[in-house]
């Protein structure tokens, strides 16, 4: 789980737990949890998932008996901030540090538990909705920066925004250790997720540049491989920032030129060279979703089509289109033809029109099932795959077929 050559590395998110750097224990189980040995006890960076808490505790305790002094949440996401349970049950009483917006995140999670459970079910193709409702609340929060003296070791916490508004990163200058949380994930930045709240591409790039200026020797990311070597660390940080800024600049230019959101979404592309980097593959989020996220940040929700301002229902629109086509059967036939030609985007529109105009028409549901099975196969981004798989499974349910779930989750949610 270590590379000195990120340009040619093969990223992965699973590995054996162990000491990855002097006094740093790494537990890579989709998400990376780290324990840093300090003169006063352990600093646990990201306790991880709730369901992995026991295995994390066990692994750490095989490494050291040192007491848990402090835990930090690099942000309040489910894969990072819910794994303290086993430590607390074993009697640990750590300081729990987080950026102050983590409190608001947990409150929002409590308010919207059912909504988030369904989002995660769809996003990760889970068999049922699941989302935590117990929180190990931070005991110490900060707004901008915090320095903690752990014996003679100074630990610096800096607030950031990026994938979330409650991010922070951790810098240990005496060791030149940088813990980035999900500001580095060995994927194109997860900065556009279509189902989740606002994300912050510009602040993300700023945080990356700030970290690049530290001259860190070691980078410990939220997911994926640890990076060693000052040039390697700086390259990954700077290039990830540049990847975001290339998208940001295009969006701003087009917004200021008066283009509509739909025009902008179709026109903007990531930097083609950076998009080939092993640490900037769009296998998780999709660059087009980053564009939409920026449009939401800087604009309203209107898409530029006046008919969509106060629209007819999608079902009414679909019935009108089917009538114009000469019946739902024509729409279905056209959908299959488009699918045959490989025009899967248009085929998907036909499938939506057909199933919304005639939800009980089994041929319409078969088209929908086949269209989304194809789109699922074509699409690399997990965020898109989850939605396509859910749509396919809706059609399967309408046809009385078994749903397809990712039995053993790609991302290990249920490991
Ligand atoms: Zn994460």
């Amino acid at each position: 789980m270590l590379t000195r050559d990120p340009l040619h590395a093969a990223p992965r998110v699973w590995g054996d737990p162990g000491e990855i750097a002097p006094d740093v224990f790494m537990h890579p189980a989709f998400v990376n949890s780290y324990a840093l040995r300090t003169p006063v006890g352990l600093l646990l960076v990201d306790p991880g998932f709730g369901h992995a808490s026991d295995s994390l505790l066990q692994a750490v305790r095989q490494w050291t008996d040192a007491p848990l002094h402090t835990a930090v949440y690099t942000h309040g996401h489910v894969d990072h901030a819910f794994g303290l349970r086993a430590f607390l049950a074993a009697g640990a009483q750590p300081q729990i540090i987080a950026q102050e917006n983590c409190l608001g995140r947990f409150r929002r999670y409590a308010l919207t538990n059912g909504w988030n459970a369904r989002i995660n079910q769809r996003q990760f193709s889970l068999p049922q909705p699941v989302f935590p409702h117990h929180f190990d609340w931070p005991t110490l929060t900060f707004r901008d920066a915090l320095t903690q003296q752990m014996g003679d070791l100074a630990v610096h916490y800096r607030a950031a925004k990026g994938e979330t508004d409650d991010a922070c990163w951790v810098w240990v200058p005496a060791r030149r250790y940088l813990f980035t949380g999900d500001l580095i994930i060995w994927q194109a930045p997860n900065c556009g997720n279509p189902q989740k709240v606002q994300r912050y591409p510009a602040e993300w790039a700023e945080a990356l540049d700030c970290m690049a200026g530290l001259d860190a020797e070691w980078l410990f990311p939220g997911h994926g491989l640890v990076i060693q070597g000052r040039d390697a660390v700086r390259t990954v940080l700077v290039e990830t920032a540049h990847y975001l800024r290339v998208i940001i600049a295009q969006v701003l230019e087009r917004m200021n030129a008066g283009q509509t959101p739909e025009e902008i979404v179709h026109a903007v592309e990531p930097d083609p060279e950076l998009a080939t980097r092993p640490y900037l593959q769009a296998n998780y989020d999709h660059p087009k979703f980053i564009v939409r996220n920026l449009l939401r940040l800087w604009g309203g929700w209107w898409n530029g089509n006046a008919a969509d301002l106060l629209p007819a229902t999608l079902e009414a629109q679909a019935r009108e289109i089917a009538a114009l086509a000469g019946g739902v059967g024509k729409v279905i036939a056209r959908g299959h033809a488009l699918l045959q030609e490989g025009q899967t985007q248009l085929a998907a529109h036909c499938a939506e029109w057909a199933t919304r105009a005639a939800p009980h028409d089994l041929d319409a549901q078969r088209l929908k099932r086949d269209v989304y099975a194809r789109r699922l196969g074509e699409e690399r981004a997990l965020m898109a795959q989850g939605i396509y798989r859910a749509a396919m499974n809706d059609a399967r349910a309408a046809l009385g077929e078994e749903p397809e779930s990712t039995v053993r989750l790609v991302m290990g949610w249920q490991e």
Side-chain angles (χ1 to χ4, degrees):
M1 295 299 294
L2 171 68
T3 182
R4 296 177 184 84
D5 183 12
L7 286 168
H8 302 99
R12 61 182 202 278
V13 293
W14 291 91
D16 293 329
E19 188 164 320
I20 191 82
D23 293 324
V24 179
F25 181 81
M26 179 187 194
H27 184 267
F30 169 62
V31 65
N32 294 336
S33 298
Y34 302 97
L36 171 68
R37 191 169 11 227
T38 84
V40 295
L42 297 179
L43 168 62
L44 184 61
V45 180
D46 281 341
F49 280 113
H51 66 76
S53 184
D54 294 308
S55 74
L56 175 63
L57 173 66
Q58 199 177 26
V60 169
R61 286 298 163 234
Q62 280 173 8
W63 179 61
T64 179
D65 292 331
L68 177 59
H69 183 280
T70 297
V72 55
Y73 302 154
T74 62
H75 58 298
H77 270 168
V78 166
D79 51 339
H80 292 260
F82 289 82
L84 272 182
R85 174 183 45 77
F87 291 88
L88 301 178
Q93 293 184 306
Q95 184 84 276
I96 304 173
I97 293 177
Q99 201 246 64
E100 66 176 4
N101 288 337
C102 184
L103 303 175
R105 166 174 302 276
F106 285 177
R107 285 194 287 269
R108 176 168 61 79
Y109 280 173
L111 279 176
T112 56
N113 182 278
W115 174 255
N116 277 295
R118 280 164 185 78
I119 286 174
N120 273 355
Q121 180 184 23
R122 201 180 300 113
Q123 180 167 303
F124 294 106
S125 304
L126 306 178
Q128 66 272 320
V130 53
F131 205 73
H133 44 72
H134 171 82
F135 307 97
D136 294 318
W137 292 86
T139 59
L140 177 64
T141 63
F142 66 100
R143 181 163 301 168
D144 298 312
L146 175 75
T147 301
Q148 184 186 27
Q149 200 62 42
M150 303 186 79
D152 60 3
L153 195 68
V155 178
H156 296 264
Y157 303 88
R158 285 288 299 272
K161 288 185 178 180
E163 186 181 295
T164 66
D165 65 354
D166 66 342
C168 69
W169 46 269
V170 183
W171 168 234
V172 186
R175 313 298 291 265
R176 311 214 73 75
Y177 287 166
L178 174 63
F179 299 86
T180 64
D182 279 1
L183 297 163
I184 293 291
I185 57 169
W186 281 88
Q187 293 282 346
N190 183 12
C191 201
N193 189 321
Q195 303 188 74
K196 297 202 171 171
V197 298
Q198 186 65 53
R199 298 180 171 208
Y200 302 90
E203 290 88 342
W204 193 326
E206 282 168 22
L208 292 165
D209 279 347
C210 188
M211 291 188 285
L214 297 171
D215 218 14
E217 173 72 21
W218 295 79
L219 186 158
F220 304 98
H223 303 262
L225 307 176
V226 171
I227 303 164
Q228 188 193 4
R230 296 186 186 202
D231 290 342
V233 166
R234 193 182 315 106
T235 297
V236 169
L237 291 167
V238 167
E239 289 199 346
T240 304
H242 191 58
Y243 180 93
L244 287 167
R245 288 213 171 95
V246 166
I247 293 173
I248 292 165
Q250 292 175 71
V251 171
L252 272 180
E253 186 184 335
R254 290 174 182 279
M255 285 181 87
N256 286 326
Q259 293 187 6
T260 68
E262 288 303 311
E263 288 173 317
I264 296 170
V265 166
H266 285 284
V268 172
E269 294 291 343
D271 181 279
E273 192 189 343
L274 291 180
T276 66
R277 298 286 193 259
Y279 41 89
L280 289 171
Q281 295 299 297
N283 293 322
Y284 200 64
D285 210 342
H286 194 298
K288 296 286 184 185
F289 300 162
I290 299 178
V291 176
R292 289 201 184 273
N293 188 65
L294 286 165
L295 290 163
R296 173 174 59 174
L297 179 68
W298 288 321
W301 51 261
W302 181 51
N303 66 4
N305 178 349
D308 283 339
L309 187 65
L310 290 164
T313 64
L314 293 174
E315 287 69 23
Q317 294 178 45
R319 285 193 295 271
E320 191 63 26
I321 287 163
L324 285 169
V328 168
K330 293 270 175 43
V331 178
I332 296 168
R334 182 63 186 147
H336 282 297
L338 288 163
L339 199 54
Q340 288 270 315
E341 294 166 17
Q343 299 207 53
T344 53
Q345 286 172 310
L346 286 171
H349 289 293
C350 288
E352 292 294 337
W353 291 327
T355 51
R356 288 172 193 273
H360 302 297
D361 186 315
L362 297 184
D363 284 336
Q365 296 293 347
R366 276 189 273 272
L367 171 65
K368 180 174 173 177
R369 176 198 61 194
D370 295 348
V371 160
Y372 288 115
R374 176 82 74 85
R375 297 216 72 176
L376 181 55
E378 291 171 346
E379 186 51 61
R380 295 164 64 197
L382 184 91
M383 299 298 154
Q385 288 177 343
I387 290 174
Y388 289 153
R389 187 179 286 106
M392 179 186 73
N393 282 338
D394 286 346
R396 282 175 172 265
L399 291 163
E401 299 174 359
E402 284 291 305
E404 181 200 285
S405 71
T406 45
V407 181
R408 186 174 170 283
L409 258 190
V410 188
M411 291 305 176
W413 187 276
Q414 295 183 306
E415 289 285 327

